[in-house]
Amino acid sequence: MSFVRFVVKLSDLRRELRPTLALAFPIIVGQVSQMLIGLTDNAYIGRVGKVELAAAAFTHGVFNLFYVVGIGLILGTGVLAARDHGAGDENGCAAWLRHGRALALTVGLGAFGGMLALSTQLHHFGQPAEVVAVMQPFYLLIAGSIVFALFFQVQRQFAESLGRPWVPMGIMLADIALNAFLNWVLVFGHLGFPALGLVGSGWATLIARFAAVAALALWLNTSPTFAPVRAAPWAGWERGRFAALLRLGVPAAGMLLFEGGAFVATALMMGWLGTLPLAAHQIAIGCASLAFMFPLGLSLAVSLRISRAQGEGRGDALRPIGFGALLTGLVIMVGFALAFALAGRGITAAFTPAADVASLAAQLLVVAAFFQLFDGGQVISAGALRGLHDVRVPTVITFIAYWVISLPLGYGLAFHTPLGAVGLWTGLAAGLGCAALLLGWRFHRLTRVH
């Protein structure tokens, strides 16, 4: 408790924590909902077979690499809209939505093109031949869905930046049900449809993501709530606004690329170890990613609240907002760590009937129990720094943590010791710990009152 008093007054922390949690809760639910779509896919695909589950693991690994870079490039929309909303500039808010949508569409189409180009090179990534043989149709469907996923995110960020997170949350919850229903229909063949297996799950994801982006766009364009910040899409473009978005977005994308690329590289190396480790990794990373949605939601809320506080001229609120979220995230991730350590075998068995896959995935969750704390700390600190518009140094920190520490250590432990898949995850834990400590210290220094 003395440390809390050292970094921020308890009264200030309590004052700022309530509005942070009020904004974060629907964002967290929305993030968990998005993650549950992937877990739903895994639950259905896991019943089809280990090869199909491994193919989904590799596909989602590639998708996530493009997706996180895209998310980074469009992150400025919510941050800058929150700042202008705090300053009372409604015309500025409308302009950020218009420019953010254009940027999201451009980035989404570019990401789809990149994934499409890679679709002819899947056999060069060292994956098992039986996995590559069934992957491409599913891969192409997931690649097409990235345009809808990014367009949804930029609209969602805008709504959240104006303190309206509940409808996006509701849309995501409805999307879980739609995706699960479509998987049931298309994967196994119900209601007169053929059983499409892995490909059916790809169609379910594509349709569900399109439905979500259409519903959110309809709400933003028709709700009276957004009438003061709504501008016609043909109102004109300003080069300075695109430049401002990219000044924040490019370093943020680099930071997410280094982190996401480390996880993709880990999935790639899992494939070198064989189909069994790759399938186990897909289950374990899905569980760990679900837990990660909680601090990620806090991170997004903190980023918006800090940016808005700056627009309002409330510099004294920055530390209470940031450190209140960090303490809350720590409590949440301790809970997940205990669940993974004590109930990992039961959790993984729910995703696959293959005992060998479930057993290895449970071992990976034991490692995940340790890095949950670091993962929460690094993402919340990164969000707080993004709210300060500080993205360049965090990008360097992320590169060092994942590409200088995490991946070399994980590779050495996996291929030069008996640890195998567990060694790869141990490397991830080391990188996350480094990132958490350095990013948290930087936020402390930038907001310290001299």
Side-chain angles (χ1 to χ4, degrees), residues 43 62 89 107 212 216-217 241 259 271 291 296 308 344 355 359 369 432 434 438:
V62 176
D89 184 1
V107 171
L216 186 54
R241 289 192 184 272
E259 180 182 354
L296 177 60
R308 180 170 178 174
S359 178
L432 288 167
C434 175
L438 293 177

Side-chain angles (χ1 to χ4, degrees), residues 141-190:
L141 289 167
I142 297 300
S145 74
I146 198 169
V147 179
F148 305 130
L150 291 175
F151 204 85
F152 178 87
Q153 288 301 320
V154 78
Q155 295 184 124
R156 173 188 159 191
Q157 290 170 22
F158 178 78
E160 292 165 352
S161 73
L162 271 63
R164 299 291 187 273
W166 292 96
V167 171
M169 181 199 77
I171 291 173
M172 286 304 304
L173 289 173
D175 219 38
I176 295 175
L178 176 61
N179 184 67
F181 172 74
L182 292 174
N183 266 279
W184 177 75
V185 170
L186 299 175
V187 172
F188 299 122
H190 293 288

Side-chain angles (χ1 to χ4, degrees), residues 61 64-65 68 255-265 398 402-403:
N64 287 336
L65 181 61
V68 297
M255 184 164 57
L256 293 172
L257 174 63
F258 295 142
E259 180 182 354
F263 280 87
V264 171
T398 304
Y402 297 113
W403 290 85

